[in-house]
Amino acid sequence: MEIPASYREVIEPLIAKARGFLEAGETLSPFAFVGNFATQQILPILINTRDEEAKDRAALAIQAAAAQINADFVFTIMEAWGLPKDKLPRYREIRDRYGSLANSPYKIDTVGFTLETRYGIWVAQPLIKPKGHSKKKRTFAEVTFQYANEAEGRFAGLLPVPDDASTGAAPLH
């Protein structure tokens, strides 16, 4: 399932901005962008990832903002750790052994992108790599989203339930 064009128009400049920060040698601050198509309002919300309580408070703030503006989407961008494809089947074993991916010698730096809409959730996690020979400048390849409606966690399920939820209908933008 493809991301509807109206959402792509909003998220592609945000992805380009994230790439620009990394390529300029800056760190990528974790943000959520909460948007409503009818009002053309987009609220940027900085996500504090210092500890679990801070992450929970950030998720609640995003959820409150989404309810306040009757959001159509939440788009999050944050640096994350992942595992190489050959280590993915051992995810639980590695996490249990090292306590977290952050402590694992197998961890790889990625950018996590999540788009939550009324039509489902799409995710992408491109690998962050050095830009040229620079030690400070980094970049990531083309972002390829996968439909992942089964995604769960504190940063999923942040949109308010629409008024027409009982019919299963939602306006297409």
Side-chain angles (χ1 to χ4, degrees):
M1 178 181 261
E2 290 291 318
I3 296 173
S6 55
Y7 294 95
R8 280 225 170 260
E9 290 172 13
V10 172
I11 68 171
E12 286 176 358
L14 297 171
I15 293 169
K17 192 77 160 165
R19 181 179 281 112
F21 281 125
L22 290 178
E23 290 180 352
E26 299 177 35
T27 58
L28 192 57
S29 296
F31 266 94
F33 297 89
V34 180
N36 177 302
F37 284 113
T39 63
Q40 297 185 346
Q41 186 175 16
I42 297 178
L43 301 175
I45 299 173
L46 182 63
I47 300 172
N48 184 340
T49 58
R50 179 187 45 214
D51 57 35
E52 298 304 309
E53 288 178 14
K55 291 176 191 175
D56 288 341
R57 284 191 302 274
L60 288 173
I62 294 165
Q63 197 170 34
Q68 179 184 348
I69 68 166
N70 194 27
D72 295 305
F73 67 89
V74 175
F75 183 57
T76 58
I77 302 173
M78 61 180 73
E79 286 193 47
W81 288 296
L83 291 172
K85 285 183 183 179
D86 66 328
K87 302 288 188 241
L88 284 176
R90 295 181 46 211
Y91 167 77
R92 289 192 195 284
E93 172 193 338
I94 291 168
R95 189 193 63 201
D96 292 347
R97 180 174 179 189
Y98 297 101
S100 71
L101 290 185
N103 298 327
S104 162
Y106 307 113
K107 76 177 177 197
I108 55 175
D109 291 330
T110 66
V111 180
F113 295 101
T114 303
L115 175 64
E116 179 180 341
T117 75
R118 303 261 181 243
Y119 309 103
I121 297 175
W122 285 266
V123 297
Q125 197 170 20
L127 177 68
I128 296 175
K129 55 188 178 188
K131 179 151 173 74
H133 297 292
S134 175
K135 295 209 186 283
K136 219 175 168 188
K137 296 179 182 181
R138 305 174 297 155
T139 192
F140 52 89
E142 182 179 337
V143 179
T144 304
F145 282 91
Q146 294 181 351
Y147 186 72
N149 214 31
E150 69 283 351
E152 295 179 356
R154 76 169 48 93
F155 294 110
L158 300 172
L159 288 177
V161 176
D163 292 337
D164 56 0
S166 63
T167 66
L172 183 59
H173 300 284

